Amino acid sequence: MSSLIAVGFKDEFTADAVILELRKLQREHLLELEDAAIVIRNKEGKVRIKQTQELTTSGALSGGFWGLLFGFIFFNPLLGWAVGALTGAISGALTDIGIDDNFIRDVGKTIEPGTSAIFVLVRKATADKVLEDLSKFEGKVLKTSLSNEDEAKLQAILTKPST
């Protein structure tokens, strides 16, 4: 079962640094993310969401491949590719997997202007190594699906002064 964790940061840039760190941990097989997103609330209060999965692009590529294949079978590869790419892009844009965008937007409206937050859906993790690596980022746990005990441990590690 996956765990949802939302952590807020004191500026607009720390969430980007954390996502880079999480990707590094994922390459090292210490973490398996199902989904991740960043929300930034600028100084004027406008909320912007950055998704880590671009479904429209991947849908267009997949649809283009299948359209091209069927186009070759029915002797019109260009038309097949165009129809497949368009269909894939539309289905990718309409598909919402992972963390609900409305949830991200709602939490994003609650953070202070000039700050950011990261939302991660973690499938599995080597907790001690991941938490040790993330302890250098000062953050505040906003929402989680973790137990109260695990949430308290996470918050303690995020607020511990880095050495």
Side-chain angles (χ1 to χ4, degrees):
M1 184 172 129
S2 299
S3 298
L4 174 66
I5 302 167
V7 178
F9 301 100
K10 295 178 184 177
D11 61 40
E12 295 180 31
F13 311 105
T14 303
D16 283 317
V18 172
I19 198 74
L20 292 174
E21 191 69 25
L22 291 174
R23 286 184 176 153
K24 182 188 102 178
L25 292 169
Q26 195 165 9
R27 282 192 307 273
E28 294 172 1
H29 304 288
L30 296 172
L31 178 70
E32 189 176 324
L33 292 177
E34 191 171 318
D35 193 13
I38 295 171
V39 66
I40 298 168
R41 188 164 185 203
N42 66 17
K43 294 190 187 322
E44 292 77 38
K46 184 176 181 206
V47 175
R48 186 176 56 143
I49 298 172
K50 293 182 184 180
Q51 294 283 356
T52 60
Q53 294 182 358
E54 192 55 55
L55 297 174
T56 304
T57 304
S58 65
L61 290 173
S62 173
F65 168 75
W66 288 108
L68 186 62
L69 181 64
F70 286 118
F72 274 123
I73 292 171
F74 296 108
F75 304 109
N76 196 342
L78 188 57
L79 180 61
W81 173 81
V83 170
L86 181 62
T87 305
I90 290 170
S91 69
L94 296 177
T95 303
D96 187 18
I97 59 171
I99 307 167
D100 181 44
D101 292 348
N102 292 326
F103 171 72
I104 295 170
R105 197 171 289 105
D106 290 345
V107 173
K109 290 176 184 175
T110 66
I111 64 175
E112 294 293 319
T115 63
S116 61
I118 187 167
F119 297 77
V120 292
L121 199 53
V122 179
R123 192 171 292 135
K124 65 180 183 176
T126 307
D128 56 342
K129 292 182 180 184
V130 170
L131 292 175
E132 178 184 324
D133 212 45
L134 295 180
S135 65
K136 61 187 168 199
F137 301 102
E138 291 181 23
K140 180 179 185 251
V141 176
L142 302 174
K143 301 267 185 191
T144 74
S145 63
L146 299 172
S147 68
N148 289 338
E149 182 183 330
D150 289 342
E151 183 176 332
K153 287 179 187 175
L154 175 61
Q155 185 60 64
I157 286 171
L158 288 173
T159 56
K160 181 175 73 172
S162 56
T163 53

